[in-house]
Amino acid sequence: MRLSIVAPCFNEESVIESFDAHVRSALDALPVDYEICYVDDGSSDNTLALLRTLAEKHPGRIRYTSLSRNFGKEAAILAGLGEATGDAVVLMDADLQHPPGLIARMLDLHSLGHDQVVARRDRSGETRLRKALSKSYYRLVNHWVDVELADGVGDFRLLSRRAVDALLSLPEQNRFSKGLFSWIGFDTVTFDYANVAREAGQTKWRFGALVNYGVDGLISFNNRPLRLALHLGLLLTALATLYAVWIVASALVLGVDTPGYATLLATVVGMGGAQMVMLGLIGEYIGRIYYETKRRPHFLVKEHSSVKEHSSVEEHSLVKEHIRAAEGSRATERDRELGGAGLR
Ligand code: UDP
Ligand code: MG
């Protein structure tokens, strides 16, 4: 059995070596053949140089892919998954927040036939506000979203080869991986571990990024918010109609009376606000459609520890399609040049 570790790294110069040492000593103790696939997500510090040295020191064991700029963790994970050759893949953060000691447990559970083995962290060491916010967020999301999202469940997990292939076959640009993991299904088992603080370096999450991530979670997996907007619109229209009937009736019965500036203004402003919100919501979906239709690759590779000849970008789904399309058009051009000789 061959195991691949995939670790995205963005400015992790302060921990990467210690991560590597920890992971390798954990893996050396296990009865598996392994490789570690690092993905440098456009780091601006010394991370790439360190990865090069590691790969030179342990050829065959350690590989790296360096992306042309910072594409974000989701893209880096995708790059790593494409690179991995193992029968199973373990996704890990490079900051040692995912204890390498748990890999043995994951392998045990995997050998029982589970395709996804998920390590769920508790929230020890987090502020109470953060805990409460996360908890209510997950309650809200699970009410709205079609796939099940669990609190504390992140990217630290083992995926079987077929689960990895399933993930790689999903072409979407906006990759909310928590949702994707849940969407692909397969036999999944979860176990808990105590949250660990980052060993060194800094988290890349700002509060704003977390909020955006939350919105992604809500919107990426369903169109229920659009349905909600529709329902709200219908409700407001009904109320407005009733109010109009009442106004007209009272004008007929009691005669026209002009006061009502305050209610009028409140209604106009309120309706305006509601419309803006709904337009914004629709815009959010259209924006996503816009990005999806561009069909750009999820990441670009700058550099490889060349064990495999060509980049995994070329091997997967969309990119494969692009290449086929390009080859197709080349073929027809050639045919034209040959004066239709291709027909024969
Ligand atoms: N990471 C990445 N690209 C990014 C941001 C983060 O590859 O744009 C990596 C980072 O190097 C780390 C992992 O993703 O290995 C988790 O990041 P971080 O520790 O900042 O997130 P947190 O653990 O605070 O959720
Ligand atoms: Mg971290």
Side-chain angles (χ1 to χ4, degrees):
M1 148 123 197
R2 185 171 165 78
L3 181 68
S4 302
I5 306 290
V6 166
C9 321
F10 177 50
N11 294 344
E12 300 288 9
E13 63 178 1
S14 49
V15 283
I16 196 79
E17 282 171 316
S18 120
F19 170 81
D20 189 73
H22 277 90
V23 171
R24 273 186 305 108
S25 71
L27 289 173
D28 284 333
L30 296 174
V32 284
D33 180 25
Y34 69 87
E35 63 173 359
I36 309 180
C37 307
Y38 289 102
V39 180
D40 161 41
D41 188 13
S43 300
S44 53
D45 64 0
N46 232 353
T47 305
L48 178 56
L50 292 173
L51 289 181
R52 274 192 208 117
T53 328
L54 284 173
E56 269 165 31
K57 260 198 244 163
H58 310 274
R61 279 271 189 247
I62 296 185
R63 308 219 312 263
Y64 69 86
T65 306
S66 177
L67 306 186
S68 63
R69 64 170 172 85
N70 180 244
F71 281 90
K73 185 179 176 187
E74 310 282 344
I77 286 179
L78 185 68
L81 286 178
E83 221 15 63
T85 57
D87 307 310
V89 175
V90 173
L91 295 176
M92 294 180 84
D93 283 1
D95 57 5
L96 283 170
Q97 276 187 303
H98 295 163
L102 295 178
I103 298 175
R105 176 109 177 258
M106 291 180 154
L107 280 173
D108 282 347
L109 288 166
H110 175 56
S111 66
L112 296 178
H114 298 290
D115 283 277
Q116 294 200 55
V117 183
V118 184
R120 178 173 54 201
R121 72 185 168 94
D122 57 21
R123 289 192 174 270
S124 51
E126 279 184 7
T127 61
R128 209 172 282 161
L129 176 70
R130 173 87 191 261
K131 275 185 209 165
L133 278 178
S134 318
K135 202 166 160 200
S136 33
Y137 172 73
Y138 281 99
R139 200 172 295 156
L140 174 77
V141 164
N142 280 323
H143 186 69
W144 282 100
V145 175
D146 300 330
V147 294
E148 180 81 21
L149 301 181
D151 190 8
V153 163
D155 299 319
F156 187 25
R157 60 180 69 216
L158 178 145
L159 298 161
S160 67
R161 177 41 57 188
R162 58 181 178 173
V164 171
D165 289 342
L167 282 175
L168 289 171
S169 73
L170 303 179
E172 56 230 78
Q173 293 289 323
N174 190 306
R175 299 188 82 83
F176 183 72
S177 63
K178 268 191 190 198
L180 296 180
F181 289 139
S182 166
W183 186 89
I184 61 167
F186 292 117
D187 206 348
T188 305
V189 62
T190 307
F191 67 88
D192 292 295
Y193 71 98
N195 194 18
V196 189
R198 206 171 220 291
E199 176 142 311
Q202 276 193 342
T203 176
K204 277 87 200 171
W205 287 102
R206 303 267 163 275
F207 184 72
L210 272 178
V211 170
N212 277 333
Y213 187 70
V215 172
D216 269 351
L218 271 175
I219 292 190
S220 293
F221 275 86
N222 67 96
N223 55 12
R224 278 190 221 176
L226 285 176
R227 185 61 59 80
L228 179 73
L230 186 68
H231 289 170
L232 213 60
L234 286 174
L235 180 73
L236 285 174
T237 314
L239 288 178
T241 313
L242 288 180
Y243 186 59
V245 168
W246 184 67
I247 292 276
V248 170
S250 71
L252 287 178
V253 176
L254 307 169
V256 183
D257 77 327
T258 24
Y261 173 73
T263 32
L264 194 65
L265 196 68
T267 316
V268 169
V269 171
M271 289 299 235
Q275 281 175 349
M276 289 296 243
V277 170
M278 283 162 211
L279 269 180
L281 186 64
I282 295 169
E284 184 66 34
Y285 279 97
I286 294 180
R288 274 154 209 263
I289 297 170
Y290 172 66
Y291 280 110
E292 294 294 336
T293 51
K294 286 181 191 245
R295 312 193 94 206
R296 289 198 178 140
H298 297 89
F299 54 86
L300 294 172
V301 175
K302 173 172 75 177
E303 183 184 323
H304 256 287
S305 59
S306 46
V307 173
K308 274 163 104 191
E309 268 82 56
H310 48 89
S311 97
S312 61
V313 206
E314 288 159 22
E315 279 172 15
H316 278 288
S317 53
L318 276 181
V319 189
K320 245 190 222 164
E321 247 169 64
H322 283 312
I323 294 173
R324 259 202 302 276
E327 276 167 1
S329 66
R330 269 205 297 280
T332 40
E333 268 165 37
R334 206 165 46 234
D335 285 354
R336 261 200 303 279
E337 278 165 24
L338 294 174
L343 286 176
R344 266 176 270 137

